[in-house]
Amino acid sequence: MSLKETIETEYKNALKSKDKTKISTYRLILSSIKDLDISNRSGPNKKETDDEDIKKLFKKMVKQRAESIDIYKKNNRADLLEVEQNEYDILTSFLPKQLSEQDTKKICEEIISRLGAGSIKDMGKVMGELKKKHADEIDFSKAGILLKELLNK
């Protein structure tokens, strides 16, 4: 079953259980996927939307939710925070689990030693290698900060 079909099934289940939070989140997700379908079918690079496209969309949506959650926490907006947190939880349930900061640091150290990276100038090489091997597992915003620390030693 494709990711889109899974989401549609979850949406139908949410409708049956009358869970308003899930219904609105799944509608938002399906709407975004439909927009992605339309943009993929138009323009010079026509193609079908696949699971990888949807995962990229989800990563973008998760990042937006995470930023909103931080803002709402700082401004003590519990009402809005709860909505964003629920959306965040649903979106992340469809993505592969992210590695912990310790595991990410360990992988970064291994790649740095394997490539012989010694300065911040080598950061691009290390990031490229990380993206090749661990694209779905690592949060690259955190990995960038870790790499800067490790390469500046």
Side-chain angles (χ1 to χ4, degrees):
M1 190 183 303
S2 74
L3 195 52
K4 184 178 179 181
E5 292 167 341
T6 305
I7 293 163
E8 288 170 344
T9 303
E10 290 293 324
Y11 174 60
K12 289 173 188 169
N13 292 338
L15 285 171
K16 288 176 187 172
S17 67
K18 295 184 171 109
D19 186 338
K20 289 182 182 178
T21 305
K22 285 185 177 179
I23 291 170
S24 68
T25 303
Y26 286 124
R27 278 186 181 149
L28 175 80
I29 291 169
L30 290 170
S31 169
S32 298
I33 291 172
K34 194 168 276 185
D35 289 344
L36 184 63
D37 278 339
I38 292 168
S39 69
N40 281 345
R41 277 188 270 140
S42 61
N45 302 327
K46 293 179 184 178
K47 68 177 200 133
E48 282 294 315
T49 303
D50 59 6
D51 283 355
E52 289 305 311
D53 292 332
I54 294 172
K55 284 180 186 176
K56 285 178 189 174
L57 173 71
F58 278 9
K59 285 179 185 178
K60 188 171 124 183
M61 292 173 79
V62 165
K63 185 177 179 183
Q64 291 169 337
R65 298 303 172 288
E67 290 170 359
S68 297
I69 288 169
D70 287 341
I71 291 169
Y72 295 149
K73 280 181 183 175
K74 288 177 189 170
N75 294 316
N76 296 323
R77 293 296 308 264
D79 53 335
L80 297 172
L81 176 65
E82 185 180 342
V83 172
E84 290 293 318
Q85 187 65 53
N86 289 333
E87 288 179 6
Y88 178 87
D89 293 340
I90 291 171
L91 286 164
T92 53
S93 71
F94 291 103
L95 291 173
K97 296 292 175 221
Q98 299 286 299
L99 292 174
S100 69
E101 194 167 328
Q102 293 167 338
D103 292 337
T104 303
K105 186 173 184 177
K106 196 161 134 185
I107 290 170
C108 289
E109 288 169 344
E110 288 171 8
I111 290 175
I112 287 171
S113 66
R114 188 163 29 97
L115 293 177
S119 71
I120 199 76
K121 292 177 184 175
D122 299 321
M123 189 166 166
K125 285 185 208 172
V126 177
M127 273 294 215
E129 193 68 21
L130 274 175
K131 285 185 180 181
K132 270 190 218 169
K133 304 215 175 185
H134 305 282
D136 289 338
E137 304 168 322
I138 292 181
D139 180 352
F140 286 96
S141 60
K142 292 177 185 171
I145 295 167
L146 277 171
L147 283 175
K148 285 179 186 172
E149 287 175 15
L150 293 170
L151 291 171
N152 279 330
K153 287 183 179 178

